[in-house]
Amino acid sequence: MRVLIVGCLGSRLEQAANIVISRGSQVDHVGTVSQAIDRACSEGNHHLVICEVECGIRSLVNGLASQRVHIPVLACGPASAALATGAISDGADDYLPLPPDTDLVASFLQDVAYESHKLISIDPGMSQLLCLVQKVAVSDASVLVCGESGTGKEILSRYIHKKSKRFKGPFVAFNCAALPETLIESELFGHEKGAFSGAATRRIGRFEAANGGTLLLDEISEMDVRMQAKLLRAIQEREIDRLGGNASIPLDVRIIATSNRDLKSEIKNGRFREDLYFRLNVVSLTVPPLRSRRLDIVPLAQHFSKKYCELNGLPSRIISDKANEILTNGIWKGNIRELENAVHRAVLLSRGDVINVEDFNAAGVSSSVNSERSIINTNPWVGNSVDDVEQALILDTLTYTDGNRTHAASILGISIRALRNKLRNYADKGANVPRPSLGLVTQQ
């Protein structure tokens, strides 16, 4: 991960930079917002911007948006609820009090990455898939990774990159469903200064940022058909044209695409180009759902337990045999992502050295297990609408995190942008949305 730090590298901001570096991320530093915008446009591969509030959060957010650069912005400054609220109102995704708390910084980085790139599996079916991956990885062939949402398609894609001869090059991921159609072209191909109103500087796109490495096109089936034609040309010709540019730029990029849809059905219904499908589908891999690889459930749960104990500064906790049995027999419609969120919540709710069935019950796992193995017989939310239950869960989680949007989004398993949109809707309807508060943040 690459992080851009904006501000004066005094002792407190420098502490934050050192924590980011200690977590394995690369750090770049600039002093002003205008320099930050120029740097983000010229390099195109930053994953997070950490900016002091004194530099001007609104100017940074608006400046990045005007250049069609989409990077999460983490504001930082003195421990002040008023400053935190103001920064988030100005467009920051969250607020980091200074001096920085190590675990809180780790939580922000975790939310941005939403990844633990370690591929964990003992299931025989997955072992066969990984054997095939080993053979595929060494080539430069395009790979199409299919599977349900939450099965770990991106992690498998990163695994392919790490096992390839391009492992020293960049791995750049682009979520095709995250941006509106009008912004995707600039995000992928970049743009020249003056390419559109407000384009004040040249912008390097994801293709150029991935040069010499791998570009992951996540959920490719969400891309508009018209944009698919431009993508096809870039893959076929191995070159791109920046928006507003006059010269083609040659590239050396390996393409990995993922999809949770049946692309053949999408082609039949006119929503996906057949020629692009054949170009991407040189090698096809299908990641099985978690319910088809039950031997992996306990090792994954143990991994997530250790991970979130460390992340939240808690002593290590094991999962009881009975709880493991419940997890193993779960339905897990959300696959590994749902399991990870369930274990994360159980870690936070447990109070001893062992995570018991009751902790998973309180974490809401009962809705995911077979009825004959249900932890409880009734659910207090029965009789309420799904929207009401979701709103209550989100607001309660935000209260639990003391208003920390990033931490709440991580626990809930949704993006910070999705959380902010929901909170805005709740506030418009008159709901009492907790403001960012620094009362539970441990200062060092």
Side-chain angles (χ1 to χ4, degrees):
M1 179 185 293
R2 194 168 183 181
V3 179
L4 180 60
I5 306 285
V6 186
C8 180
L9 276 185
S11 60
R12 292 185 171 186
L13 187 59
E14 192 166 348
Q15 287 177 28
N18 288 334
I19 292 172
V20 172
I21 293 171
S22 71
R23 293 282 170 168
S25 296
Q26 181 179 347
V27 168
D28 297 324
H29 170 253
V30 295
T32 67
V33 163
S34 61
Q35 291 172 339
I37 295 170
D38 288 344
R39 191 73 173 267
C41 288
S42 64
E43 299 189 10
N45 58 352
H46 291 101
H47 301 88
L48 174 68
V49 177
I50 300 179
C51 180
E52 285 187 304
V53 287
E54 291 87 351
C55 293
I57 300 302
R58 185 181 296 274
S59 296
L60 174 63
V61 172
N62 291 343
L64 290 173
S66 70
Q67 302 306 308
R68 303 185 182 180
V69 177
H70 300 273
I71 310 173
V73 173
L74 173 61
C76 63
S80 163
L83 285 176
T85 302
I88 290 175
S89 297
D90 286 341
D93 291 282
D94 220 315
Y95 188 84
L96 173 68
L98 298 178
D101 177 83
T102 302
D103 293 332
L104 193 56
V105 174
S107 177
F108 290 133
L109 296 175
Q110 164 66 26
D111 183 71
V112 170
Y114 196 70
E115 63 197 28
S116 174
H117 298 330
K118 187 176 181 181
L119 205 160
I120 297 172
S121 179
I122 60 173
D123 189 270
M126 276 297 291
S127 297
Q128 293 179 8
L129 176 63
L130 294 180
C131 286
L132 178 58
V133 166
Q134 295 280 0
K135 298 176 182 178
V136 169
V138 296
S139 74
D140 270 341
S142 298
V143 180
L144 180 61
V145 183
C146 299
E148 297 177 6
S149 294
T151 51
K153 297 188 293 296
E154 181 174 345
I155 291 178
L156 186 67
S157 300
R158 291 181 181 272
Y159 183 80
I160 294 171
H161 172 72
K162 289 180 179 181
K163 295 296 180 180
S164 74
K165 57 188 178 184
R166 296 173 174 266
F167 72 96
K168 292 184 179 180
F171 180 95
V172 177
F174 176 70
N175 188 335
C176 300
L179 295 175
E181 176 195 344
T182 54
L183 300 180
I184 289 181
E185 183 174 3
S186 179
E187 189 73 20
L188 279 178
F189 305 131
H191 61 251
E192 296 288 353
K193 181 178 179 179
F196 52 84
S197 177
T201 187
R202 171 184 287 177
R203 162 77 192 286
I204 299 299
R206 301 298 180 96
F207 264 97
E208 286 185 82
N211 203 19
T214 303
L215 175 63
L216 170 64
L217 299 171
D218 198 20
E219 302 304 349
I220 186 70
S221 54
E222 301 296 328
M223 182 178 287
D224 182 82
V225 173
R226 289 169 292 184
M227 190 63 217
Q228 291 174 26
K230 297 180 181 179
L231 175 62
L232 175 64
R233 178 191 175 277
I235 296 174
Q236 285 178 331
E237 303 299 328
R238 301 183 70 84
E239 63 181 26
I240 56 107
D241 297 319
R242 293 196 196 108
L243 195 63
N246 297 318
S248 296
I249 301 168
L251 294 173
D252 174 24
V253 176
R254 183 189 197 171
I255 302 295
I256 301 178
T258 73
S259 176
N260 60 6
R261 298 186 185 182
D262 181 352
L263 288 184
K264 291 184 178 179
S265 296
E266 295 295 295
I267 292 170
K268 184 177 180 180
N269 293 322
R271 292 190 292 264
F272 201 82
R273 291 180 64 105
E274 187 173 32
D275 46 5
L276 178 58
Y277 171 77
F278 288 124
R279 179 63 64 174
L280 295 172
N281 193 33
V282 177
V283 177
S284 180
L285 303 172
T286 300
V287 185
L290 190 56
R291 60 185 174 274
S292 298
R293 42 183 290 206
R294 294 192 180 276
L295 290 179
D296 286 342
I297 292 177
V298 171
L300 284 166
Q302 292 171 342
H303 167 71
F304 294 139
S305 174
K306 179 181 178 182
K307 169 183 171 181
Y308 287 110
C309 283
E310 292 176 353
L311 187 62
N312 291 282
L314 300 171
S316 296
R317 291 167 178 169
I318 63 172
I319 302 175
S320 71
D321 291 342
K322 183 62 178 177
N324 278 328
E325 182 183 357
I326 293 293
L327 296 179
T328 301
N329 288 279
I331 299 173
W332 304 118
K333 292 182 179 179
N335 294 295
I336 298 174
R337 187 175 298 137
E338 182 185 0
L339 174 65
E340 179 176 4
N341 292 334
V343 174
H344 189 176
R345 290 190 292 268
V347 163
L348 297 175
L349 294 170
S350 62
R351 290 294 175 263
D353 296 332
V354 178
I355 303 175
N356 294 302
V357 170
E358 293 76 16
D359 300 315
F360 284 104
N361 174 18
V365 176
S366 58
S367 62
S368 297
V369 299
N370 295 321
S371 58
E372 65 269 23
R373 295 184 179 272
S374 180
I375 301 174
I376 55 175
N377 294 322
T378 59
N379 190 304
W381 289 113
V382 171
N384 294 273
S385 70
V386 172
D387 288 343
D388 288 342
V389 173
E390 180 186 67
Q391 177 174 327
L393 174 62
I394 288 175
L395 295 180
D396 285 350
T397 303
L398 195 61
T399 300
Y400 173 83
T401 63
D402 207 30
N404 186 308
R405 268 69 172 161
T406 299
H407 194 185
S410 178
I411 292 174
L412 292 164
I414 60 178
S415 69
I416 186 69
R417 181 174 297 176
L419 176 62
R420 290 174 64 190
N421 289 338
K422 290 179 183 294
L423 294 179
R424 189 177 297 110
N425 290 336
Y426 299 158
D428 291 343
K429 295 176 182 177
N432 183 21
V433 177
R435 292 187 174 186
S437 172
L438 307 177
L440 295 183
V441 175
T442 302
Q443 299 297 324
Q444 295 180 341

